[in-house]
Amino acid sequence: MTKPKESSSLKASTVLSVVGRNPEEQWGFLNPPLYKGSTVIHKSLKSLVNLEGKFFYGTAGTPTIANLEDAWTQLTGAAGTVLSSSGLGIIALVVLSIVKSGDHILVPTNVYYPTSMFCKNILEKFSVRTEYYDPLIGSGIERLIQPNTSLIFLESPGSHTMEIQDIPAFVAVARKHGIKTVLDNTWATPLFFKAHSFGIDISIEAGTKYVGGHSDILLGLASANSESWPALRSTYESLGMLPGDDDCHLALRGLRTLHLRVKEAERKALILAKWLKHRDEVERVLHPAFEDSPGHKFWVRDYTGSTGLFTIVLKDGFKEAGLENMLDHMRIFKLGFSWGGYESLMIPVSPGAKQRLEKWSLNGFALRIQVGLEDIDDLKHDLELGFERLKEIKPVTLKAKL
Ligand SMILES: *Cc1c(COP(=O)(O)O)cnc(C)c1O
C-alpha cells in the first residue's frame, strides 16, 4: 500500500486516486476485491495461538476495511482511522474512547440531534455530565471548563443553523487545559477543512453523506492524531461495532470521485442559495459562504470550500397548510433525512426548539436544503412552483403545472 510519506506531497485528488489499493497483491487488478468474512484460517497452531498475521479474525478487520482505513488516514493526515456502522455509531465510539465515569463534557447547543440523545441516554447512565454551550462562544469556552472536563465536542457548521465555529480558539483553550477536542467535520469533509492541521484530536465524518455519495450506505469514519490514536483503536477493538464490508467497498469507490462531487455540490448550492436570497418568500439564507451567516469570518479564514447543504428561513406568516402543500408535491426536492447523495432533498427544521438556540428570533418556517446533481434550472423551477403552492394553500393540480 502507498505509505503516508509517499502521498503526503500529493494533492488531494491524486491521493484519492492512489490510496487504498494494491494491484501487486491482486493479480494486477487495479481495484481491491471485496473481502467478507469472520473466520481466517491459520497455517499453524503457533499462528492461531499468537493471533499472527495482519488479519486473524473478522472483528479485527478485513482487507476491505483496512483499505478504507488506510485511505482515510492518508487523506486526513492522521495517525490512524477507525470505522463504524454509521455516523452516529462512530460518534459514540469516539466519545467513549475519551470519557470516563464522573467526567464533564462540553457540546454545542446546535449539535446533530442524535449526538445529544447519545449524551442523554448513554453517557448520563455512566455519570458523564454534558453541558451545552453556544457554538459561537469561541475562547469564552474557558469559563465553562471544570476540573473534570475531558472533552470539547465541536460540530462546524452546526446542524440546521450552520454556524461555523472558531476552531483554533477552542483548540487553544483545550490544549492549555489538557482537554481533548473532537470535531464532527461531515459537512466540509477533509477536502474543505483539514481538522488535524488545526489541532483537532479526533475528526469525525458521517461517510453516509458525501463519502458514500449515493444514499445507499451507512458508515462512520474517525481519524485521530497520534496522542488520541491508541485509545481510539483499543475502544474500537473492544466494542466490535464494525461497518459492513460491502459498505466499505462502496465507500472506497465513492472516495475516488469525492473531490468532483463536493465541488459540484458547492457550485450548485451557491447558485441556488444566491437565487433564494433574492426571493420574496425568503427571509434568511444560512450558508457559511454568505456574509450574514453566523461564523462566516471563520469560514473565510479556515475553510477552503463549502458543500451542498444549507438552510433557508421563510418570511413569517405562511400557513402550515401552505408548507405542506409545497413540500408534499415537490417534483425533484424530495422529503427525506440525510444528505450528501446525488439527489436533492428538503426537510423542515425547527432551530428554535430542538437546537436550543437561545438567540433564535426568526418565526418563519425553516427548510434545510440538500442540493444534488440535477440541472440547476430544473431545481429552480421546482422551487418556483413550490413557492406558488406555499402561497396558494389550496392544492393545485400538479399534472397541469409541471
Ligand atoms: C448524518 C449525520 C451524522 C450521522 O450519520 P449517520 O450515518 O446517519 O448515523 C452525524 N453528524 C452529522 C453532522 C450528520 O449530518
Side-chain angles (χ1 to χ4, degrees):
M1 276 174 210
T2 322
K3 299 287 177 304
K5 258 190 240 111
E6 289 167 35
S7 67
S8 61
S9 60
L10 301 174
K11 301 277 192 297
S13 55
T14 314
V15 172
L16 289 173
S17 176
V18 302
V19 291
R21 59 180 169 85
N22 193 353
E24 301 96 85
E25 286 179 17
Q26 303 152 193
W27 306 93
F29 279 89
L30 176 64
N31 286 309
L34 166 58
Y35 286 88
K36 291 168 73 74
S38 49
T39 301
V40 176
I41 300 296
H42 292 260
K43 281 190 182 136
S44 66
L45 181 61
K46 183 173 151 285
S47 163
L48 181 89
V49 171
N50 297 327
L51 305 178
E52 279 176 12
K54 188 164 179 204
F55 305 102
F56 57 87
Y57 182 62
T59 52
T62 62
T64 300
I65 288 175
N67 280 332
L68 183 59
E69 288 171 348
D70 184 54
W72 198 251
T73 297
Q74 293 188 49
L75 182 67
T76 55
T81 296
V82 293
L83 310 172
S84 192
S85 47
S86 70
L88 181 59
I90 202 76
I91 289 168
L93 203 158
V94 165
V95 172
L96 290 173
S97 79
I98 294 170
V99 300
K100 62 178 188 319
S101 179
D103 280 358
H104 167 252
I105 68 169
L106 292 160
V107 175
T109 50
N110 57 358
V111 78
Y112 176 66
Y113 187 64
T115 303
S116 66
M117 286 294 99
F118 166 73
C119 296
K120 184 169 181 297
N121 295 331
I122 306 296
L123 294 184
E124 252 180 35
K125 285 205 291 189
F126 299 97
S127 307
V128 174
R129 191 167 68 81
T130 304
E131 184 175 348
Y132 290 93
Y133 68 86
D134 176 346
L136 297 170
I137 197 170
S139 53
I141 194 78
E142 192 158 20
R143 291 193 298 275
L144 302 180
I145 286 171
Q146 316 261 321
N148 59 341
T149 308
S150 57
L151 162 66
I152 301 176
F153 193 95
L154 301 110
E155 182 181 316
S156 182
S159 274
H160 301 184
T161 37
M162 308 304 289
E163 296 85 350
I164 294 282
Q165 297 196 264
D166 184 355
I167 293 168
F170 285 94
V171 167
V173 170
R175 290 256 158 121
K176 185 172 149 199
H177 293 269
I179 294 166
K180 292 276 200 267
T181 49
V182 169
L183 169 68
D184 185 334
N185 195 34
T186 301
W187 180 85
T189 82
L191 295 175
F192 291 154
F193 184 72
K194 300 250 166 289
H196 299 300
S197 317
F198 281 83
I200 289 289
D201 293 305
I202 303 183
S203 182
I204 286 171
E205 183 78 24
T208 308
K209 311 290 166 57
Y210 282 117
V211 174
H214 296 74
S215 309
D216 54 2
I217 67 166
L218 285 165
L219 181 74
L221 307 97
S223 55
N225 61 14
S226 51
E227 299 92 75
S228 296
W229 171 240
L232 182 64
R233 184 74 204 182
S234 82
T235 306
Y236 167 83
E237 285 171 8
S238 309
L239 286 172
M241 301 199 308
L242 278 75
D245 291 299
D246 301 80
D247 285 356
C248 292
H249 194 66
L250 286 171
L252 204 52
R253 163 177 285 232
L255 275 189
R256 308 295 180 204
T257 56
L258 181 65
H259 57 301
L260 299 177
R261 291 182 288 102
V262 293
K263 277 182 201 137
E264 181 65 357
E266 170 176 51
R267 190 181 73 81
K268 285 220 166 76
L270 282 171
I271 296 173
L272 208 65
K274 279 177 196 153
W275 179 80
L276 282 162
K277 203 174 164 62
H278 293 107
R279 291 286 307 191
D280 285 344
E281 300 85 357
V282 176
E283 176 74 36
R284 285 263 321 254
V285 175
L286 299 168
H287 184 304
F290 283 33
E291 239 171 74
D292 61 347
S293 200
H296 166 74
K297 60 176 188 244
F298 306 128
W299 177 80
V300 172
R301 185 189 64 192
D302 301 335
Y303 286 63
T304 54
S306 57
T307 53
L309 189 80
F310 63 93
T311 296
I312 59 170
V313 185
L314 299 178
K315 293 244 167 78
D316 196 9
F318 290 115
K319 302 267 184 328
E320 214 156 320
L323 185 71
E324 215 177 326
N325 193 28
M326 173 182 175
L327 298 182
D328 280 358
H329 305 288
M330 298 300 287
R331 191 186 187 191
I332 303 173
F333 284 94
K334 293 297 178 189
L335 285 165
F337 296 110
S338 202
W339 47 277
Y342 59 87
E343 80 293 2
S344 291
L345 298 170
M346 196 148 70
I347 53 166
V349 294
S350 13
K354 255 192 187 163
Q355 307 303 121
R356 295 186 219 89
L357 273 194
E358 289 134 37
K359 292 181 205 141
W360 190 259
S361 59
L362 302 172
N363 292 320
F365 295 120
L367 297 171
R368 191 185 70 177
I369 293 180
Q370 130 78 13
V371 184
L373 301 174
E374 303 92 343
D375 182 86
I376 196 78
D377 292 331
D378 289 341
L379 294 176
K380 283 182 188 167
H381 187 57
D382 199 30
L383 286 167
E384 265 168 2
L385 295 180
F387 286 141
E388 275 180 39
R389 291 191 302 275
L390 172 70
K391 288 180 279 196
E392 273 171 14
I393 300 179
K394 272 200 291 173
V396 291
T397 39
L398 272 168
K399 286 233 173 67
K401 286 258 171 197
L402 290 175

